């Protein structure tokens, strides 16, 4: 087997995009552990605190669809870096907000910029992937997970040292804004991006020529709907780990508090492993088969864990779910970016926007089921979304021969 040579420019661009993903994961993770301090500082009740936290995803929904237009106008690398810096500034503003209104405004801005950054960095990552001519997008998402862990450790250290919110968020902004600006120097050029977009559009014209415009639009709409369901399934399983795994182990299974967090850790840890291994699996098996195997892991792993509840079984179930959904969001984003008849960045923006809408709806949906029938019933949503992925998986790319460089 011949080894494809990768140019130094492309290797540096890959490292730059990985740095942007790490930065994006670290920024929010610096804030999340300190949210209870903001709740106490402004004397917020549970309901008021819930509305405040919701300001972040609302900001993302308001601005998310603008990402594609900004990318076409300014280039994905510049949009990602500016979005990163504005996200950091929004968090810095939250740490210094003198009033609840300004705090909510900072959260709205942070969510908006985070959504735009997310689309832009994935768009640039896909551009670099096309130059590699093999899957590397999953590794970028793995670096996001590394950034989230790094940000969480920074927050824990700041809390242990009793560093104020304003100083902590100021340090976070300076560190990751610097990383983003350095990364911009090594991203691919605007001209390279335009050339890549022209190549994608040319392929779309060739593959879609025999069909009528209306038929092509209908097909694109159905594929887009399936991709949204696949990506939403991925983030809903992530949310189950974030919001409910610890509570389920502690309250439903009586796990000691010191060990209840292992449910979340097992899910995100297995997801990280799945993303590290994901690119190799996608190249060997194709996105479709990898997604189908992952969906079976979710259905069987969590299905058996919920059918026969125990602490070890639940930990294995959450791990199977995290591993199973590891490649879903990257796969949906890649396919959306290549949909015929859409301008560069449009499909990616739409999938990302609707995925966030599903992420916003997930906690109250599980909460409603848990309130009426118990959390064990609420977590049945996890194997259910695995079934949805199996149904929708045929839209994903099967294994195909790679073009020589």
């Amino acid at each position: 087997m011949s080894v494809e040579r990768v140019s130094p420019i492309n290797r540096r661009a890959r490292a730059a995009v990985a740095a942007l993903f790490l930065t994006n994961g670290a920024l929010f993770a610096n804030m999340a552990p300190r949210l209870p301090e903001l709740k106490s500082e402004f004397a917020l009740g549970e309901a008021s605190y819930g509305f405040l936290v919701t300001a972040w995803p609302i900001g993302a929904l308001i601005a998310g669809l603008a990402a594609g237009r900004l990318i076409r106008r300014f280039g994905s690398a510049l949009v990602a870096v500016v979005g990163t810096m504005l996200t950091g500034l929004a968090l810095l503003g939250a740490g210094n907000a003198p009033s609840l209104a300004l705090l909510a405004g900072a959260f709205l801005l942070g969510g908006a910029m985070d959504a735009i950054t997310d689309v832009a960095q994935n768009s640039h990552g896909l551009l670099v992937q096309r130059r590699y001519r093999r899957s590397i997008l999953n590794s970028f998402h793995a670096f996001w997970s590394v950034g989230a862990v790094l940000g969480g450790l920074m927050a824990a250290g700041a809390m242990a040292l009793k560093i104020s919110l304003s100083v902590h968020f100021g340090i976070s902004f300076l560190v990751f804004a610097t990383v983003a600006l350095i990364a911009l120097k090594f991203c691919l050029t605007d001209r390279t991006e335009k050339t890549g977009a022209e190549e994608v559009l040319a392929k779309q014209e060739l593959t879609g020529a025999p069909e009528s415009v209306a038929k092509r639009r209908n097909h694109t709409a159905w594929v887009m709907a399936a991709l949204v369901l696949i990506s939403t399934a991925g983030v809903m399983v992530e949310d189950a780990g974030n919001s409910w795994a610890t509570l389920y182990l502690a309250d439903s299974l009586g796990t000691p508090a010191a060990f209840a967090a292992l449910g979340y850790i097992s899910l995100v840890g297995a997801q990280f492993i799945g993303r590290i291994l994901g690119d190799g699996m996608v190249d060997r098996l194709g996105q479709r088969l990898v997604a189908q195997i992952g969906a079976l892991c979710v259905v069987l792993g969590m299905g058996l864990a919920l059918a026969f509840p125990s602490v070890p079984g639940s930990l294995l179930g959450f791990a199977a779910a995290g591993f199973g959904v590891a490649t879903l969001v990257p796969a949906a984003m890649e396919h959306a970016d290549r949909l015929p008849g859409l301008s560069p960045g449009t499909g990616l923006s739409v999938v990302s926007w609707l995925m966030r809408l599903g992420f916003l709806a997930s906690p109250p949906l599980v909460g409603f089921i848990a309130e009426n029938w118990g959390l064990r019933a609420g977590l049945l949503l996890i194997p259910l979304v695995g079934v949805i992925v199996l149904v929708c998986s045929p839209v994903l790319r099967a294994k195909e021969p790679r073009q020589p460089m």
Side-chain angles (χ1 to χ4, degrees):
M1 180 184 295
S2 62
V3 179
E4 296 180 346
R5 295 177 60 85
V6 179
S7 72
I9 291 175
N10 292 338
R11 283 200 297 268
R12 288 193 291 268
R14 180 178 183 177
V17 176
L20 290 175
F21 270 82
L22 182 145
T23 297
N24 183 248
L27 278 172
F28 183 79
N30 265 277
M31 181 188 68
R34 307 204 71 172
L35 285 173
E37 294 177 53
L38 291 171
K39 180 177 181 292
S40 298
E41 181 178 340
F42 288 92
L44 300 177
E46 300 299 332
S48 299
Y49 175 70
F51 279 115
L52 172 64
V53 175
T54 305
W56 189 279
I58 289 175
L61 291 174
I62 291 172
L65 289 178
R69 183 173 297 179
L70 291 171
I71 290 168
R72 291 190 293 273
R73 175 68 177 84
F74 299 105
S76 57
L78 182 60
V79 171
V81 171
V82 172
T84 295
M85 298 181 72
L86 290 175
T87 302
L89 281 175
L91 293 176
L92 181 58
N96 291 275
S99 68
L100 184 58
L102 289 175
L103 177 60
F107 274 37
L108 281 169
L109 175 62
M113 293 302 102
D114 179 65
I116 290 172
T117 301
D118 184 47
V119 175
Q121 67 188 13
N122 274 285
S123 179
H124 206 76
L126 287 167
L127 175 63
V128 176
Q129 178 172 274
R130 286 194 288 271
R131 293 173 71 86
Y132 265 69
R133 300 187 184 277
R134 58 184 172 85
S135 179
I136 59 172
L137 188 62
N138 289 287
S139 67
F140 293 141
H141 285 256
F143 270 96
W144 189 96
S145 300
V146 173
V149 172
L150 174 62
L153 291 174
M154 289 176 64
M159 294 164 69
L161 296 173
K162 301 188 184 303
I163 297 174
S164 68
L165 288 170
S166 58
V167 173
H168 171 201
F169 292 162
I171 294 172
S172 174
F173 168 71
L174 289 175
V175 169
F176 295 113
T178 301
V179 172
L181 286 171
I182 294 172
L184 180 61
K185 177 180 173 64
F186 299 103
C187 288
L188 298 176
T189 63
D190 184 57
R191 177 58 200 158
T192 303
E193 184 160 12
K194 290 179 179 177
T195 302
E198 290 165 1
E199 291 175 357
V200 172
L201 289 174
K203 290 179 181 178
Q204 290 175 355
E205 290 296 325
L206 289 173
T207 56
E211 298 179 322
S212 68
V213 173
K215 187 175 181 181
R216 286 173 57 190
R217 285 178 177 172
N218 288 336
H219 175 73
T220 297
W222 280 109
V223 172
M224 180 70 77
L227 293 174
V228 168
L229 288 173
I230 290 171
S231 60
T232 302
V235 296
M236 288 179 79
V237 172
E238 288 182 31
D239 177 70
N242 294 337
S243 304
W244 304 107
T246 301
L247 191 64
Y248 175 69
L249 287 168
D251 290 359
S252 300
L253 299 182
T255 309
F259 296 98
L262 290 176
Y264 168 71
I265 293 170
S266 65
L267 188 146
V268 296
Q271 184 184 51
F272 172 74
I273 293 171
R275 285 175 170 171
I276 290 294
L277 301 176
D279 290 315
M281 294 190 298
V282 166
D283 284 332
R284 286 192 296 271
L285 305 175
Q287 288 177 340
R288 184 184 304 166
L289 183 55
V290 171
Q292 290 168 344
I293 293 171
L296 287 174
C297 287
V298 174
V299 173
L300 295 177
M302 277 307 295
L304 290 172
L306 293 170
F308 306 100
S310 68
V311 173
S314 296
L315 293 178
L316 290 173
F318 281 116
F323 185 85
V325 301
T327 65
L328 294 185
V329 172
M333 287 183 165
E334 179 187 348
H335 200 87
D337 199 51
R338 307 191 323 173
L339 283 177
L342 299 179
S343 302
T346 300
L348 188 58
S349 297
V350 171
V351 165
S352 179
W353 188 81
L354 290 173
M355 177 182 70
R356 288 175 182 270
L357 189 63
F359 188 71
L360 185 63
S362 175
L365 177 59
V366 175
F368 173 79
I369 297 172
E371 183 78 17
N372 290 277
W373 297 284
L375 185 52
R376 184 179 169 197
L379 289 177
L380 285 173
L381 191 66
I382 297 178
L384 176 61
V385 299
V387 174
I388 292 173
V389 172
L390 283 173
V391 173
C392 297
S393 62
V395 303
L396 296 175
R397 170 172 55 84
K399 183 181 179 182
E400 59 185 21
R402 291 285 174 179
Q403 299 289 334
M405 293 187 72

